[in-house]
Amino acid sequence: STRDFRMFPVLPALRGAESLTSLACRNLSYAGGKVPSTTQNVIGGQWVESSTDKWIDVCNPATNQVLTKVPQTTLAEMEQAVESAKGAYGSWSKTSPMARQQIMFKYQQLIKENLTEVAKLITTEQGKTLADAEGDVMRGLQVVENLCANTSLMMGETLTGIAKDMDLTSFKTPLGVCAGIAPFNFPAMIP
């Protein structure tokens, strides 16, 4: 049903990993360095304005100019994001390792194509030199490239004859919703 695709609402009309990643990247991007005055949450694959009354300024350390404000997201918004992720889990957990690998290959390509632009955003937000910021993005790219090779690590194992009339089979399956917090000083290093 379309309910399973809440994270990417037009997904049923699209085919393949490239369509999925193209859709996500087109909708969830600060392309051209156009950072909005307030940063929105991403819930269900959509930008959502926070209802919070508490905001954190993100300043350019070279000029002290406020670049954007990020919300101290409310508990209700966090719960909404978790529920959305749980809804997406149903279809994502059935995605084959090869299809997931294709998504990671596309992500790898996008990082390479936009390395300088991402590094410039890091420089503006963090005050790092451009070379330092490019190094951060390169380290993140290395992590993604490593993940592209993970399909063999996702295989289960079978041990035949572990005991009389007994074989042992293990399966690796998706666990469910998880959260990650990227370090503010190395945002591109932990994709």
Side-chain angles (χ1 to χ4, degrees):
S1 77
T2 55
R3 179 185 165 112
D4 293 334
F5 297 103
R6 285 183 298 200
M7 186 151 183
F8 301 99
V10 297
L11 188 59
L14 301 172
R15 297 279 186 241
E18 183 173 339
S19 298
L20 176 65
T21 53
S22 297
L23 171 68
C25 295
R26 185 173 55 249
N27 290 334
L28 304 175
S29 170
Y30 289 150
K34 299 173 189 159
V35 180
S37 59
T38 59
T39 299
Q40 297 174 310
N41 292 317
V42 176
I43 301 174
Q46 302 293 319
W47 291 108
V48 178
E49 195 67 52
S50 178
S51 63
T52 190
D53 59 354
K54 297 177 183 172
W55 295 81
I56 301 167
D57 290 344
V58 177
C59 297
N60 178 331
T63 64
N64 211 28
Q65 172 191 4
V66 175
L67 301 169
T68 188
K69 295 175 182 285
V70 294
Q72 290 187 29
T73 300
T74 66
L75 179 61
E77 291 164 342
M78 192 262 322
E79 290 171 344
Q80 183 183 7
V82 169
E83 287 306 311
S84 175
K86 284 181 182 177
Y89 170 78
S91 58
W92 180 251
S93 65
K94 295 177 183 127
T95 304
S96 73
M98 297 306 284
R100 293 178 195 192
Q101 183 184 47
Q102 291 304 309
I103 292 169
M104 295 307 294
F105 281 142
K106 180 64 176 177
Y107 185 39
Q108 174 192 38
Q109 175 188 342
L110 289 168
I111 292 171
K112 288 178 179 178
E113 289 171 0
N114 296 285
L115 190 140
T116 302
E117 187 175 336
V118 173
K120 285 178 183 177
L121 286 169
I122 292 171
T123 296
T124 303
E125 289 186 10
Q126 302 291 319
K128 294 182 178 192
T129 65
L130 187 58
D132 223 11
E134 286 175 345
D136 290 356
V137 179
M138 285 301 297
R139 180 64 68 182
L141 177 60
Q142 290 169 344
V143 171
V144 171
E145 289 173 339
N146 185 54
L147 291 172
C148 289
N150 262 0
T151 53
S152 61
L153 297 175
M154 296 174 70
M155 296 185 309
E157 298 175 305
T158 300
L159 299 171
T160 56
I162 194 165
K164 187 176 186 318
D165 300 324
M166 184 186 300
D167 295 336
L168 175 69
T169 302
S170 65
F171 300 93
K172 294 193 178 182
T173 59
L175 295 176
V177 178
C178 65
I181 300 174
F184 81 94
N185 56 338
F186 292 101
M189 194 178 288
I190 315 294

